[in-house]
Amino acid sequence: MYIYRSPIGIFSIRILNNRYALCFANNVLGYYNSAVAAADDVYTHTTGLYKWDILDCQIHDVPTDIYEWELVSL
């Protein structure tokens, strides 16, 4: 599982139903074919989570790719 500790809370990317799920506060925002695609939506502020997406260009330390996310084991 990958996590990103954003200024508004923790995003996670985990495997659910054999796909990568982008989650925020234990809510699934979407399913993806790769963790990279999920992380890209966070970077581009196109997650579907309004309070994150409206912050486009206002947060400057957003990970640019999945390798900048924290890898955690369960």
Side-chain angles (χ1 to χ4, degrees):
M1 176 170 68
Y2 296 93
I3 62 170
Y4 163 52
R5 299 172 198 279
S6 80
I8 66 162
I10 297 174
F11 284 94
S12 65
I13 299 171
R14 58 185 82 185
I15 298 202
L16 294 173
N17 302 322
N18 295 318
R19 297 196 64 201
Y20 292 91
L22 175 62
C23 303
F24 184 84
N26 292 321
N27 294 312
V28 176
L29 302 176
Y31 289 95
Y32 299 82
N33 290 325
S34 71
V36 172
D40 284 347
D41 276 1
V42 173
Y43 176 68
T44 60
H45 292 264
T46 55
T47 64
L49 179 65
Y50 179 76
K51 70 180 184 177
W52 175 254
D53 294 349
I54 63 167
L55 297 174
D56 190 20
C57 298
Q58 296 180 34
I59 299 175
H60 302 290
D61 62 347
V62 180
T64 58
D65 63 43
I66 193 65
Y67 302 106
E68 295 176 6
W69 285 56
E70 183 179 342
L71 180 61
V72 294
S73 59
L74 298 176

